Amino acid sequence: MKYSGDIDELCYPFIYEQSSVCDFEILTDELCTLVGLAGCACDEASQDIAEDLFTLQPKIFDLNGSIRGKCAITEADIDQLKDRYHHFLSLLTGEKKVFVLPRGKGACIQLHQARSVSKKAIRMLVKAEQEGQTLPDTLHRYANLLTNYFFALTLVINERGGVIEPEYTSNNYKLKAK
C-alpha cells in the first residue's frame, strides 16, 4: 500500500511507514484521546483528577512527537509526574493494592484503558529500539510512570465512589513476601 497522492485520502503522513515509530505515534495519539475522555468522565468528586488529566494531555502529545522529533520529555517532566503520582497515592485511605481486576465507573474505564495503552506504547519503544532507533531514556521511563499514575487514579476514583476492585492474586507466579 502507498499514498494515492490525494491529500484527502491521507490521515497521517507516516501511516504507510514500516517501522514501529509510526505504531508508537498512533498508540500515544490513542492514549491522549483516552486521557481526554477520562477527564471529561470525572464526576464532581474527582475534579482534581480531571484537571490533572487535562494538564497531562499536552505532555502525552510531547511524548508522541519525541520519538521522531526533538525530545520534549525531560527529567523535570518525569519528576512532576512522579510528584502527582505520589500525591494521588497519598490520598488512598484503604488497603494499597498491587494488582486488581479492573473495574469501576466513569473515568475508571478510560483510565484502565489508558494504563493498558501505555504498556503497549512501551512495547513499541522496545521494538523501535530493536529496529535500530536511538531513543532518549526519558521516553520509556515517562511511559512506565504513566502506567502507574493511571493505576493510582483508578484506585482513588473507585475509593471515592465506594467501588471495590478486587485484588488479583496470580495463580501463575508466587509473589515474594515483603
Side-chain angles (χ1 to χ4, degrees):
M1 283 186 266
K2 64 179 187 170
Y3 173 48
S4 69
D6 182 344
I7 193 70
D8 292 341
E9 298 173 8
L10 185 66
C11 67
Y12 186 59
F14 306 108
I15 199 69
Y16 296 109
E17 197 175 84
Q18 295 289 320
S19 81
S20 297
V21 169
C22 182
D23 296 332
F24 173 81
E25 291 166 329
I26 291 168
L27 278 172
T28 50
D29 181 73
E30 180 181 356
L31 182 58
C32 192
T33 301
L34 287 169
V35 169
L37 290 170
C40 290
C42 285
D43 62 15
E44 288 293 318
S46 295
Q47 285 307 297
D48 58 332
I49 291 174
E51 290 173 24
D52 238 57
L53 291 171
F54 295 144
T55 300
L56 182 62
Q57 269 189 300
K59 292 312 302 177
I60 292 173
F61 272 155
D62 285 345
L63 177 65
N64 172 301
S66 291
I67 195 170
R68 187 184 302 272
K70 174 183 171 246
C71 183
I73 300 297
T74 66
E75 289 294 331
D77 295 321
I78 291 171
D79 291 343
Q80 182 178 20
L81 183 57
K82 197 177 289 186
D83 286 346
R84 298 310 298 155
Y85 168 60
H86 287 284
H87 164 74
F88 286 109
L89 284 178
S90 75
L91 299 179
L92 293 170
T93 58
E95 176 187 338
K96 306 290 189 273
K97 297 178 180 178
V98 177
F99 197 80
V100 299
L101 297 172
R103 297 181 187 173
K105 297 177 184 173
C108 281
I109 296 162
Q110 290 89 4
L111 289 168
H112 277 302
Q113 288 176 313
R115 180 181 51 77
S116 183
V117 170
S118 295
K119 289 179 183 178
K120 290 177 188 177
I122 297 161
R123 292 299 302 156
M124 281 299 117
L125 289 171
V126 169
K127 192 170 181 185
E129 187 174 77
Q130 289 171 341
E131 292 169 355
Q133 292 284 335
T134 301
L135 303 173
D137 190 50
T138 55
L139 301 187
H140 72 91
R141 292 172 52 217
Y142 194 79
N144 272 284
L145 186 54
L146 279 172
T147 303
N148 295 334
Y149 169 81
F150 294 137
F151 179 71
L153 295 184
T154 65
L155 295 177
V156 170
I157 291 171
N158 278 334
E159 184 175 282
R160 288 175 180 175
V163 175
I164 297 171
E165 286 182 300
E167 186 164 6
Y168 172 75
T169 303
S170 174
N171 291 317
N172 308 98
Y173 308 102
K174 300 239 185 240
L175 293 178
K176 295 178 183 177
K178 292 183 179 181

